[in-house]
Amino acid sequence: MADKISGEFNKLNGELLSINDNLSKLTSEVIDLLGSGIVAYTLPERKILVLNQEARRMLDAPEIEAGKSNFNVMGRVIQEDREAVSIAVRKLKYPGDITSFVFHNLKMDGSLATFKCTTKLLSFADGSRYILSSLNDITEQEAIERRIEEERMRYKAALSIGSMAFITIDLTDGMLNEPIITKYGEDLTEELGLEYPAFYDTVARKMFNSVRIETNSDKIGIIRSRRKLLAAYKEGTTVIDLDYTVPKQKRKVHLIVMLHKQQQNTIASFIFYDLEKQ
């Protein structure tokens, strides 16, 4: 009886091992077919658990035996990015914590590749911890965005020629960090009673309020609110233009607001034209 039970147990154990082996092979094949680079390694030993083909290609990594080999995933991160990567990774304190960051990697051929990395801290049943990361190559995307940004800067520079004033505000943090000086030498920041850095809604409330200016444009409601500017950009608006008058100064102004992304932030550039001194 005991031999029969032992035989059945061994048979079952063998079947389970076979199933586990098949699942492991299936998982490995699925991971290798993914378009993203997948990296997993133990903490604190940093032994590689998973390094799929795409990750090996992206990182110029050698063939690695899972569970036995170490590989410094961030070994060729350029010096300028290392502090930002370190800050992002330090956010991972508890299993389930997740962070994302972008870094530039020096390739074996001397070229630079740009990767977006999403990293999660996880734990096994025994409490030991490991890192699981997904890497996406955004080198080409970054190059395109850089060319677009260069074109945008040239366009803004051309538009600013002949303008009365020009300011740029990062709507993501929402702060005006510079004075608003007109081509006539007027300090609008001082005139409006503002001290910078100043929150955008405070600036807009003083510059575009219905007591100071007059306008027939319904777009002014968007200009008066950082939240509405961000919402307009999210919905596809990249340029807002309108006319308004400043009766006290007998001035008519044409305002162009350009909205665009710069890295992860939303930027608003304000170009003011003095159409006429009434």
Side-chain angles (χ1 to χ4, degrees), residues 57-86:
R57 182 194 68 78
M58 293 165 70
L59 299 171
D60 285 334
E63 291 291 332
I64 284 176
E65 189 175 355
K68 296 183 179 180
S69 303
N70 297 75
F71 175 68
N72 187 359
V73 176
M74 295 298 177
R76 286 194 291 273
V77 175
I78 64 171
Q79 191 65 42
E80 295 85 345
D81 288 351
R82 289 187 179 181
E83 180 61 22
V85 171
S86 178

Side-chain angles (χ1 to χ4, degrees), residues 226-241:
R226 168 178 167 267
R227 180 179 59 80
K228 289 183 179 179
L229 276 172
L230 288 168
Y233 179 70
K234 189 175 181 180
E235 291 170 4
T237 299
T238 56
V239 177
I240 301 171
D241 65 307

